[in-house]
Amino acid sequence: MSQTRFINPDALSKPPGYSHVVEATGPGRIVYIAGQLGVDREGKVVGDFRQQAIQTFENLKAALAAVGADFRQVVKLNNYLVDVGDLPTFREVRDSYLPTANRPASTTIAISGLARPGARLEIEAVAMLLAAARSKSASKAASKRAGAGRKRRTATKASRSKRK
């Protein structure tokens, strides 16, 4: 069973909205989510910084849902802001999406710009999930592939015997 521990050592300052250390032990699944921007479904950058931050977290939420996860499984965030002056708004929006306890480790970097014109922030996420149970259909498919491999090997041995 995988476990995740969120730790803020007493020797370090109290972090504002994140954990200094996150320890994940397996077995489990690690999910990496590419940097998400404040763009809508059509790929258009939305409104001001607050609207972009909300859209970015909504995009992360959708990406997490695609693997059966939510923000409780996020163990690391990398945040890139074009204007460090937007940090208070970023923290406010971030804190509305993350669980109150067990915040992920987080790094926020002020950058000169992003690859997408008009984008003001980008966020990458890493999540730790329990190991996926194999579905019956996946198990059947694996058994079928293994059976096909045995049949090929048997047929190959038989054809070698005939050639001798």
Side-chain angles (χ1 to χ4, degrees):
M1 180 169 161
S2 79
Q3 283 191 319
T4 307
R5 289 191 324 146
F6 298 83
I7 307 161
N8 287 308
D10 290 336
L12 300 176
S13 65
K14 185 179 181 332
Y18 63 92
S19 295
H20 280 297
V21 180
V22 178
E23 176 188 39
T25 56
R29 296 182 292 152
I30 299 174
V31 177
Y32 298 91
I33 299 175
Q36 298 298 305
L37 303 169
V39 297
D40 63 18
R41 193 176 197 145
E42 287 76 42
K44 295 179 183 160
V45 175
V46 301
D48 65 6
F49 181 84
R50 179 177 297 280
Q51 291 168 317
Q52 286 189 33
I54 290 167
Q55 184 65 56
T56 299
F57 276 97
E58 287 295 317
N59 293 345
L60 287 168
K61 184 173 157 183
L64 289 163
V67 295
D70 60 40
F71 285 104
R72 291 174 298 177
Q73 288 82 38
V74 173
V75 296
K76 176 72 168 114
L77 290 173
N78 290 327
N79 313 294
Y80 306 95
L81 306 181
V82 173
D83 182 353
V84 75
D86 290 324
L87 188 57
T89 303
F90 167 76
R91 285 180 174 161
E92 182 183 321
V93 172
R94 176 200 61 196
D95 291 351
S96 72
Y97 281 88
L98 297 180
T100 305
N102 299 331
R103 296 284 175 95
S106 183
T107 300
T108 301
I109 301 170
I111 58 172
S112 62
L114 293 161
R116 184 63 160 281
R120 298 184 54 191
L121 79 155
E122 184 167 348
I123 305 172
E124 303 170 332
V126 179
M128 180 70 176
L129 287 71
L130 295 175
R134 289 180 66 144
S135 67
K136 287 183 182 179
S137 60
S139 295
K140 282 183 183 179
S143 295
K144 194 173 188 178
R145 285 191 304 274
R150 280 192 296 275
K151 287 177 186 173
R152 279 193 300 275
R153 287 190 296 276
T154 303
T156 304
K157 285 181 183 177
S159 65
R160 277 192 224 133
S161 297
K162 288 181 183 176
R163 283 185 272 177
K164 288 184 178 178

